[in-house]
Amino acid sequence: MQYLQYIKPAITADTSTLSAANLAGRRIEAGAFSHSQWLRLCYIERQLLWERRLTTTMLMETFGISRPQAQKDIKLYQRLAPKATKPYQLGIPYHQPTEGFEPVLLSGEDLQWQSIENYAPPSAGHATEIPMLKRRHNLPVLARLLSAIEHQRSIEAVIATMSSPKGRGRRLTPTAVAFVNNRYHVRAFCWDHMGYRDFLIGRFMSNPKVVKAPRSVKDWGENAPAFERCNGVPPEVDTEWKQMIELELKPNPHLSDEQQSLIVSDYELDQGGAWKRITLRKPLIGYFLVDNRIPSSKVEYDVAVQDNPKAWPVFAYITYSNRPAHEVGFKSD
């Protein structure tokens, strides 16, 4: 996964002239900085977004720069995004993002997670690249959800789903974010369904707003809604998210021996005489199957067995059993 997408240069003024006022309402762009400084500023924002902390040492070790240069970069970022970091707090040896932190450098079109460099596809005449369909992302929503998880907040937002394509209000207590191929999901306790569900972040139609649990439900009586009755704390632990399941990957046994050998080579399924294995959280198994063209339902499994095994070259089983992985299932919304 890539972490930042470059934006066509637009701001060319000296960085000393950039202020919160003249940057309001527009994304800060790479053309305003040297290439190396732009990477460091984006790294600062990456740390605040994902790690929820930033130290001078992180910058020094990642980019091989001096402490004065790292401190200078942090101060520059704080001028560009004055509402991004909390004021210095005695006893906390790192910079923290504010609860309302939103990125001003990173692009929402390609929400990158790990790397801090963006490489263009090859442009030689003998090489080409097939484009991937991109899912819509919402970077401000992602930032607010990560903040809600960090501070253990519940939120309200209008969210579209396949069952409610126009969107409807939901009250959620988010607990984790997962990146699945080209899209982000938030794992949350849904107070409508009274259970943990997955929601596509790109389908949030409004920015999440923090909902504070009431201090008392006496005025509600016996008719108190679940959120108020539980004081905003999910009544159950997300045991499925904590459950790690190991899968064993094999070629479709309904292919010929020669075809199976080819699939083993294609997907590097032979791991020193044993089948390739992968460990996932239980709710993420369904996504893994779909994105890797592995039967993710009984219907697909039956087709792969009886009708068209070539279209489903790899099967996944729960390790130490013949149970197909699709039987584990997952819930999404």
Side-chain angles (χ1 to χ4, degrees):
M1 284 175 287
Q2 297 171 332
Y3 195 80
L4 90 91
Q5 175 182 352
Y6 291 111
I7 306 166
K8 294 181 180 180
I11 301 176
T12 56
D14 182 82
T15 55
S16 62
T17 65
L18 297 176
S19 66
N22 61 34
L23 292 173
R26 59 196 277 185
R27 185 172 301 283
I28 303 168
E29 303 186 9
F33 313 96
S34 69
H35 178 71
S36 58
Q37 189 174 46
W38 171 252
L39 290 180
R40 296 197 300 271
L41 290 171
C42 288
Y43 175 83
I44 291 171
E45 193 160 85
R46 167 190 185 260
Q47 294 302 100
L48 292 173
L49 178 65
W50 290 110
E51 299 290 339
R52 317 303 294 179
R53 61 196 296 270
L54 170 74
T55 66
T56 305
T57 303
M58 289 176 182
L59 270 175
M60 293 168 58
E61 293 180 350
T62 301
F63 294 95
I65 59 177
S66 66
R67 181 172 294 276
Q69 181 60 59
Q71 292 171 338
K72 181 179 178 181
D73 290 335
I74 292 174
K75 289 180 179 179
L76 173 59
Y77 180 79
Q78 290 174 328
R79 291 210 312 271
L80 300 175
K83 297 182 180 179
T85 57
K86 294 180 180 179
Y88 172 77
Q89 297 183 45
L90 187 64
I92 300 179
Y94 52 85
H95 298 277
Q96 299 173 288
T98 60
E99 193 164 347
F101 164 74
E102 290 186 8
V104 297
L105 301 179
L106 300 180
S107 166
E109 295 180 11
D110 271 322
L111 283 181
Q112 302 91 345
W113 184 315
Q114 294 175 330
S115 68
I116 55 171
E117 183 86 59
N118 185 45
Y119 297 98
S123 58
H126 57 270
T128 188
E129 180 179 348
I130 298 175
M132 284 271 305
L133 289 177
K134 296 180 180 179
R135 300 290 285 267
R136 186 177 72 87
H137 296 304
N138 194 322
L139 192 55
V141 167
L142 173 62
R144 294 193 184 191
L145 290 173
L146 289 170
S147 179
I149 293 170
E150 180 185 20
H151 297 282
Q152 298 182 325
R153 309 292 193 197
S154 294
I155 57 97
E156 281 184 345
V158 177
I159 306 173
T161 64
M162 291 300 288
S163 57
S164 303
K166 293 184 178 180
R168 68 183 181 89
R170 300 284 189 121
R171 183 171 288 185
L172 309 175
T173 301
T175 57
V177 168
F179 183 80
V180 183
N181 195 1
N182 63 348
R183 60 198 184 277
Y184 277 97
H185 296 254
V186 61
R187 180 80 170 171
F189 184 83
C190 177
W191 291 93
D192 288 353
H193 291 97
M194 293 302 290
Y196 289 92
R197 299 275 178 123
D198 302 335
F199 298 87
L200 274 169
I201 291 178
R203 291 180 177 172
F204 276 66
M205 301 177 70
S206 67
N207 281 332
K209 295 183 178 180
V210 173
V211 180
K212 295 184 179 179
R215 295 182 179 179
S216 174
V217 297
K218 292 181 179 179
D219 295 338
W220 291 94
E222 296 180 356
N223 297 321
F227 181 80
E228 283 74 12
R229 192 168 60 250
C230 297
N231 200 31
V233 179
E236 60 188 63
V237 177
D238 191 358
T239 55
E240 289 197 349
W241 182 260
K242 293 184 177 182
Q243 186 176 353
M244 306 297 293
I245 295 180
E246 186 180 70
L247 302 182
E248 194 170 60
L249 306 179
K250 304 178 182 179
N252 186 333
H254 300 277
L255 296 170
S256 69
D257 291 343
E258 291 80 6
Q259 290 171 333
Q260 290 187 49
S261 296
L262 180 61
I263 297 306
V264 170
S265 175
D266 280 350
Y267 291 89
E268 299 182 334
L269 300 182
D270 186 353
Q271 302 288 304
W275 294 117
K276 186 173 185 176
R277 294 178 180 178
I278 185 169
T279 302
L280 296 168
R281 295 185 184 277
K282 184 178 178 181
L284 300 181
I285 289 177
Y287 301 123
F288 170 78
L289 299 178
V290 170
D291 288 344
N292 287 281
R293 190 63 180 174
I294 301 173
S296 60
S297 66
K298 187 178 185 306
V299 172
E300 291 180 351
Y301 185 81
D302 290 343
V303 170
V305 169
Q306 302 169 11
D307 299 329
N308 192 9
K310 291 181 181 179
W312 306 90
V314 179
F315 276 14
Y317 302 90
I318 308 300
T319 302
Y320 303 121
S321 76
N322 289 320
R323 185 183 177 192
H326 72 262
E327 294 183 3
V328 176
F330 65 93
K331 295 180 181 178
S332 62
D333 217 327

